[in-house]
Amino acid sequence: MAVENVEVPPRFEDILFPRHPVHQDAGRLAKFLTDLEFTSLPADVLHTAKRVTLDTIGCIATGAATPLGRSILAAYGGGVATSGCCIPGTELRLPPSLAAKVASWLSDVLDYEDVACGHPSATVIPAALAVAEHLSATPQRFLAGVVAGYEAGLRVHDATRAGPEAYRRFAVYHAWHGVAAGAAAIVVAGGTEAQVRSALGHAAANTNVPIWYVQYGKPAHALKANYGQMTLGGVDAALCARQDILGPFAMLSDPERGFAHIIGSDRFDPAQLSADLAQRWRINELSIKPFPSCAFLHTSVDAATSAVKDQDVALDEIESVSIRCFSRITEWFSDAAPATDIDAQLSVQYVTAMGLMVRDPGRHWFAPEMMDNPVVRELMRKMTVEIDPVAEKAFWDEGRYKSSVRIRMRDGRTFDATADWAPGHWRRPFSDADVERKFLSNLRGTPLEPKGDRIVETVMKLDRADSMAELCGLLRA
């Protein structure tokens, strides 16, 4: 439904309980969140919530061990604090909104967190963890909050989609994450329907300007999609709502003055805000990332790895590498000479070189010695990146990130591979063992490494625990 076809409500209605039909679907979403109970969650939904919690904790801990992560921690104190909420893998403790912001930012430092129309875990998990610790909420409330963040956030995404032209101008794709954080935080905190509505409206009002981090020049800026600030806004929204500080719920669904219009959506469809609630659990459609890079690039890495697997391929004998993919990659993620670690995460050439070298993924991909490695630089120089019409159609019609790689050797041999879905995608999901393996790999060289197995066990049994205290204690350095 195009935004111009949505009936505009009267200018003055009740700010929390507007009666106009355009607000009904947002109201159904708020009622769903208010009534959401741990006991009503299907077993597979709870299992996914625990898996993504574990994965995100690992992403935060390894993000904190990067140069950018250490700079972020230094910006917010860097020292030891005796009170406040923890940032996993660090000694830093901060008030809940700031703790959630820093953990959120750290989770995105390596672009290694989950993907589902953006990166919900980057805002949902830090918000839920901080509020749960701050309010001594039960593990069951925490898990319900994680599910709530996905169910609300992804429906706000669906309701506020943008067409290709608007998508080029605004990061509509990312702007809903603050509402996801707010939904997670208020469900962990608990509240009346009025408070839930207030928190959702307040979170929408707190959303920062949707920025495209690939379109402001090189080197890419460190804010990326600014998830940290969105998470802070979501937690603030919930904490304020619990004190009955009024938030503008009506803006969530007002087509003329509301959230969708403000973030640049040109295809506002309010019906999506309540579509298939409690029937289609959106959290089950998240994907766990196999590689520390933009998810658009994962099929290229996977195809490159598949092409050379079990083959006699000497890297110095490669004559050329052809990558055929969709236009988003050629326009935004083609960089044959990345200058920084963030540039490398967003360079299809760089991460494909990692795939050709069959490097186990992790933050070491972006270590200075790897960035300066002459073998990596030479491989990137040999690459061409082109649009594949089939992949382009699949991207826009199906949301598929299809990519093909052809390697031509100097002796005339060629090696080809195509990937339609990357490993870890919900259509090609990771096993629990895969998730655990990635988590423990991310903890290597961090203060949490000695506690890795205990953290895995604690998170995966969280639904049966009496308190979050054990997990919070384990996450402190």
Side-chain angles (χ1 to χ4, degrees):
M1 183 186 299
V3 64
E4 60 266 19
N5 294 329
V6 178
E7 185 181 352
V8 177
R11 186 163 295 277
F12 298 107
E13 286 196 283
D14 188 288
I15 196 169
L16 289 185
F17 291 90
R19 295 188 303 274
H20 192 277
V22 77
H23 299 297
Q24 288 179 353
D25 290 289
R28 293 185 185 104
L29 175 60
K31 185 69 165 62
F32 167 81
L33 296 175
T34 305
D35 296 341
L36 187 65
E37 295 289 343
F38 165 81
T39 53
S40 68
L41 299 176
D44 62 329
V45 168
L46 279 173
H47 191 66
T48 301
K50 291 185 290 184
R51 279 166 46 111
V52 75
T53 296
L54 184 68
D55 183 66
T56 309
I57 290 169
C59 292
I60 295 167
T62 196
T66 65
L68 175 57
R70 289 190 287 270
S71 294
I72 291 169
L73 292 169
Y76 288 90
V80 179
T82 57
S83 63
C85 300
C86 74
I87 291 92
T90 80
E91 296 180 324
L92 186 60
R93 299 180 71 177
L94 293 168
S97 297
L98 280 177
K101 172 180 180 174
V102 173
S104 173
W105 198 349
L106 291 174
S107 75
D108 190 42
V109 159
L110 286 166
D111 223 317
Y112 212 5
E113 73 275 39
D114 80 340
V115 61
C117 304
H119 309 293
S121 67
T123 60
V124 169
I125 305 300
L129 278 173
V131 173
E133 184 175 11
H134 178 60
L135 298 178
S136 299
T138 66
Q140 293 74 29
R141 291 307 305 168
F142 166 77
L143 290 169
V146 169
V147 174
Y150 279 83
E151 300 310 309
L154 288 169
R155 285 175 172 82
V156 173
H157 164 271
D158 293 348
T160 58
R161 289 179 185 271
E165 289 308 311
Y167 188 70
R168 291 174 189 275
R169 297 191 302 272
F170 299 101
V172 182
Y173 188 83
H174 294 294
W176 55 272
H177 286 78
V179 180
I186 192 60
V187 169
V188 172
T192 65
E193 184 178 349
Q195 289 171 327
V196 170
R197 286 173 175 249
S198 190
L200 293 176
H202 193 154
N206 282 349
T207 292
N208 51 265
V209 174
I211 53 176
W212 270 131
Y213 49 88
V214 293
Q215 292 185 315
Y216 293 98
K218 296 289 185 178
H221 64 78
L223 294 180
K224 290 192 167 179
N226 217 353
Y227 288 149
Q229 197 65 23
M230 293 190 193
T231 307
L232 182 150
V235 172
D236 274 354
L239 296 180
C240 287
R242 290 186 78 248
Q243 300 300 321
D244 295 319
I245 299 172
L246 196 64
F249 174 72
M251 80 168 292
L252 199 65
S253 44
D254 189 314
E256 185 179 66
R257 301 172 292 274
F259 179 72
H261 188 74
I262 291 167
I263 66 172
S265 169
D266 58 352
R267 295 183 177 180
F268 180 49
D269 182 0
Q272 295 302 318
L273 293 169
S274 66
D276 300 322
L277 282 169
Q279 298 175 40
R280 177 187 177 191
W281 293 92
R282 301 301 298 279
I283 192 171
N284 281 339
E285 297 169 15
L286 67 83
S287 303
I288 302 292
K289 280 189 173 184
F291 310 118
S293 73
C294 175
F296 284 172
L297 314 182
H298 287 192
T299 48
S300 297
V301 182
D302 185 46
T305 302
S306 299
V308 299
K309 185 179 181 180
D310 301 325
Q311 301 291 341
D312 180 20
V313 176
L315 296 179
D316 59 353
E317 292 298 315
I318 292 176
E319 182 176 78
S320 65
V321 179
S322 171
I323 303 169
R324 290 179 56 78
C325 49
F326 48 96
S327 62
R328 277 290 175 265
I329 294 178
T330 61
E331 292 173 352
W332 294 349
F333 301 104
S334 180
D335 183 355
T340 67
D341 51 352
I342 296 179
D343 290 335
Q345 295 165 27
L346 308 177
S347 163
V348 69
Q349 292 94 333
Y350 187 89
V351 295
T352 300
M354 296 297 103
L356 291 172
M357 297 172 74
V358 197
R359 304 289 302 185
D360 288 337
R363 64 180 183 275
H364 54 275
W365 272 19
F366 311 106
E369 60 270 22
M370 185 61 68
M371 295 280 295
D372 294 334
N373 188 320
V375 175
V376 176
R377 294 287 178 180
E378 182 64 12
L379 283 173
M380 288 193 290
R381 189 188 65 78
K382 295 176 179 179
M383 293 181 189
T384 59
V385 185
E386 301 173 333
I387 297 174
D388 175 2
V390 176
E392 180 74 356
K393 187 174 189 303
F395 175 77
W396 290 108
D397 293 353
E398 307 168 37
R400 183 154 44 110
Y401 305 162
K402 181 184 179 73
S403 183
S404 300
V405 171
R406 165 167 285 191
I407 302 163
R408 184 175 296 279
M409 308 298 293
R410 289 178 181 171
D411 62 10
R413 291 179 300 155
T414 60
F415 303 100
D416 300 86
T418 295
D420 288 292
W421 307 104
H425 191 279
W426 62 272
R427 291 183 176 88
R428 190 183 166 189
F430 272 173
S431 66
D432 287 356
D434 292 328
V435 175
E436 181 177 338
R437 192 177 302 112
K438 176 187 170 183
F439 172 76
L440 294 175
S441 175
N442 273 335
L443 261 55
R444 287 181 195 140
T446 77
L448 296 188
E449 183 177 9
K451 299 185 280 187
D453 290 334
R454 289 178 61 199
I455 295 171
V456 171
E457 182 179 11
T458 302
V459 171
M460 297 313 291
K461 292 182 178 179
L462 204 52
D463 51 324
R464 289 168 276 169
D466 296 325
S467 166
M468 292 289 289
E470 181 180 3
L471 178 60
C472 291
L474 286 171
L475 297 184
R476 299 186 190 113

